[in-house]
Amino acid sequence: MRMYDLIMKKRNGGVLSKEEIDFMIKGYTCGEIPDYQMSAMMMAIYFVGMNEEETLFLTMAMAKSGEMLDLSGISGVKVDKHSTGGVGDKTSLALTPMVSACGVKIAKMSGRGLGHTGGTIDKLESFPGFSTDITVQEFEKNVNEIGIAIIGQTKELAPADKKLYALRDVTATVDNMSLIASSIMSKKLAAGADAIVLDVKTGSGAFMKREEDAFALAKEMVSLGKNARRNTIAVISDMDQPLGRAIGNAMEVREAIETLNGKGPEDFTKLCMTLGTMMLLAGGVCQTQEEAEQKLQEVIQNGSALQKLAQEKMALEAQLVKAQGGDESAVFHPEKLPKASIVETICADKDGYVQKIVCDEAGVASLLLGGGRETKESRIDLSVGILLHKKVGDAVKKGEVLAELHANDAAKLALAKERLLAAYHIGTEKREEGPVIIGILK
Ligand code: URA
């Protein structure tokens, strides 16, 4: 078999067999197939697509490219969560300790920034010393002992996704349904959790811009999960404007910590509550939605009656950070997180209401500041990012601040400012924000 022939077959609209997909994934994982041939294949798949059977074969080949963890020796239902990617999407940072504090074991496998979106692993690395590059043994031990662990793709776990993910990030081949479904589900199946809760984003900041495509992706992933006998639930949520107010790695960590202190933005808190409810139900620690919501409220509220739980929950996040080599004191002192040296604002040029923030453009603005990768070798700047003062539906006066940009480089700042300003649409009519939760598929 030759990779050249497979690229040609797909390019010409052909359907790849299981043997061909296995050959391609094995060859790429062990380095026999070079990046340039795989890039051509990804682009061919991007344009031609894959059918359901090909997507299943691709997912299983990627999942089996390394170890498939068996966590059955750890008591209780182990739950994993994954987002299809968005702008300002720091959900895992707040949600996983919340759910863990409620007694569900979290065994999560995450990724880095992808395209215009940020990644949980990059964000967590804002904690000085934090590493998701832990061994499979450490991952299992942490799930067992502290009830929470987050690992990245490694040489042992989903190595094919590790390589493909980095390649797709810089070759404009992210937003294809089969490639997203196989990337996410291969990680979820390899990491061994019993239940998987998916956050499928839709809107201008998502890879699936149209609602019907997001539902189709959700359906595909739920079916891949069920096929592997994992309880899989998908929540379809809005990404038509950035989630919360912070965009950028360390800045999002700060917002997640604020949310754990009960002071999070409304849209972000609502999303955490919905996904958290699904995770508590899937984890079997609650029997009804009301009970789950109440438990989660207890964990996020900042009232004095709930101080004990708040402490407990803070300790859990600190445990996650500490257990994975990070400086856990930054959880209690977010001022220790990386900070950019220049802060500038963009302002409204007229009175009116924010009607739209073109969400992927806001993500690109953060990337231009240095918060994302231009090439596979790029190092990202964890400290840079954006803080939105105004969101959709907010009234603004001419000259009022719309957003802050945190930067370390004046030239990058100039580019990002222009991009972010163009992303804001201000008009005379008030436009209501849409709902955060669009649907749930089981
Ligand atoms: N998240 C992933 O892990 N993979 C994708 O392809 C998109 C989002």
Side-chain angles (χ1 to χ4, degrees):
M1 220 179 269
R2 290 193 322 149
M3 185 62 178
Y4 180 93
D5 298 330
L6 303 189
I7 298 169
M8 179 119 85
K9 182 175 182 185
K10 187 39 89 182
R11 187 200 72 181
N12 293 343
V15 173
L16 299 176
S17 67
K18 178 177 182 310
E19 290 67 34
E20 288 168 335
I21 290 173
D22 285 347
F23 166 83
M24 166 175 104
I25 293 301
K26 268 201 192 109
Y28 184 57
T29 308
C30 74
E32 276 167 14
I33 293 173
D35 271 353
Y36 54 82
Q37 281 192 313
M38 203 48 155
S39 303
M41 176 58 94
M42 291 294 109
M43 196 54 89
I45 294 175
Y46 177 87
F47 282 116
V48 174
M50 280 184 139
N51 66 25
E52 264 177 46
E53 204 175 35
E54 285 176 294
T55 309
L56 171 65
F57 295 148
L58 180 62
T59 306
M60 295 317 293
M62 287 169 70
K64 290 178 181 167
S65 63
E67 262 182 70
M68 298 276 282
L69 289 190
D70 176 4
L71 303 180
S72 58
I74 300 173
S75 67
V77 180
K78 278 72 62 186
V79 182
D80 195 348
K81 173 264 164 193
H82 208 89
S83 156
T84 57
V87 178
D89 184 9
K90 70 284 297 173
T91 311
S92 295
L93 304 176
L95 176 65
T96 53
M98 271 164 63
V99 172
S100 177
C102 293
V104 173
K105 292 215 164 93
I106 303 290
K108 171 155 173 57
M109 193 167 185
S110 288
R112 294 191 178 276
L114 194 59
H116 64 276
T117 70
T120 300
I121 294 184
D122 294 329
K123 291 171 200 181
L124 280 168
E125 285 176 356
S126 302
F127 287 105
F130 189 95
S131 173
T132 51
D133 194 11
I134 53 175
T135 63
V136 163
Q137 291 71 26
E138 284 169 314
F139 178 71
E140 289 179 349
K141 180 171 171 281
N142 292 353
V143 175
N144 202 12
E145 288 179 3
I146 63 170
I148 183 165
I150 299 183
I151 193 169
Q153 312 99 312
T154 64
K155 287 208 179 71
E156 298 156 299
L157 275 188
D161 184 57
K162 185 179 170 79
K163 288 188 80 175
L164 275 174
Y165 194 93
L167 190 71
R168 287 167 58 224
D169 181 31
V170 292
T171 53
T173 50
V174 176
D175 45 341
N176 169 275
M177 196 171 316
S178 296
L179 295 180
I180 296 176
S182 56
S183 163
I184 292 179
M185 294 310 290
S186 64
K187 284 194 278 288
K188 303 297 98 177
L189 300 183
D194 310 294
I196 300 163
V197 174
L198 301 164
D199 179 10
V200 182
K201 305 286 194 192
T202 181
S204 65
F207 293 121
M208 297 292 113
K209 311 275 182 223
R210 299 180 321 163
E211 245 174 72
E212 59 261 44
D213 293 336
F215 273 94
L217 174 61
K219 194 163 162 253
E220 176 108 52
M221 290 197 291
V222 169
S223 138
L224 287 167
K226 293 208 163 140
N227 186 62
R229 288 187 294 282
R230 313 291 172 95
N231 176 12
T232 310
I233 301 160
V235 172
I236 293 88
S237 73
D238 179 67
M239 189 34 75
D240 210 34
Q241 66 168 330
L243 186 61
R245 294 191 177 273
I247 311 167
N249 297 288
M251 293 176 69
E252 292 188 36
V253 171
R254 275 193 204 97
E255 192 166 68
I257 292 172
E258 280 163 20
T259 305
L260 285 173
N261 276 314
K263 296 177 193 144
E266 202 180 313
D267 58 346
F268 179 52
T269 304
K270 165 86 185 148
L271 179 65
C272 288
M273 289 296 294
T274 305
L275 291 166
T277 299
M278 295 301 133
M279 291 171 84
L280 294 195
L281 292 174
V285 302
C286 292
Q287 302 318 311
T288 66
Q289 204 160 317
E290 294 69 37
E291 192 192 339
E293 278 171 14
Q294 197 182 334
K295 247 186 167 171
L296 288 162
Q297 289 286 1
E298 286 171 8
V299 177
I300 59 168
Q301 274 173 8
N302 198 25
S304 53
L306 300 172
Q307 193 58 34
K308 190 178 178 294
L309 255 180
Q311 290 303 330
E312 199 178 310
K313 143 213 99 184
M314 292 290 279
L316 268 169
E317 189 174 351
Q319 279 179 25
L320 167 68
V321 173
K322 188 173 182 175
Q324 295 188 210
D327 176 2
E328 78 280 12
S329 69
V331 172
F332 309 104
H333 300 281
E335 67 279 4
K336 290 190 176 178
L337 294 167
K339 240 185 160 157
S341 54
I342 316 171
V343 179
E344 283 198 12
T345 56
I346 54 163
C347 299
D349 60 356
K350 57 181 173 224
D351 290 357
Y353 295 92
V354 178
Q355 297 199 317
K356 188 176 176 157
I357 305 172
V358 184
C359 192
D360 48 1
E361 286 294 297
V364 171
S366 174
L367 202 134
L368 289 174
L369 288 169
R373 293 176 182 79
E374 294 291 341
T375 68
K376 287 204 299 174
E377 290 73 31
S378 305
R379 274 181 71 86
I380 61 173
D381 185 342
L382 296 168
S383 67
V384 299
I386 294 165
L387 197 63
L388 305 176
H389 286 219
K390 298 288 179 188
K391 292 196 60 177
V392 173
D394 287 347
V396 291
K397 292 249 167 277
K398 185 173 175 185
E400 207 178 349
V401 172
L402 296 173
E404 286 170 25
L405 293 97
H406 293 228
N408 286 315
D409 179 307
K412 290 181 179 172
L413 173 63
L415 285 176
K417 253 176 126 167
E418 202 179 310
R419 202 85 180 220
L420 186 61
L421 199 52
Y424 266 93
H425 290 216
I426 296 171
T428 48
E429 309 259 301
K430 180 167 168 66
R431 207 199 111 183
E432 293 304 334
E433 225 180 314
V436 181
I437 307 301
I438 293 168
I440 296 180
L441 273 189
K442 292 186 185 181

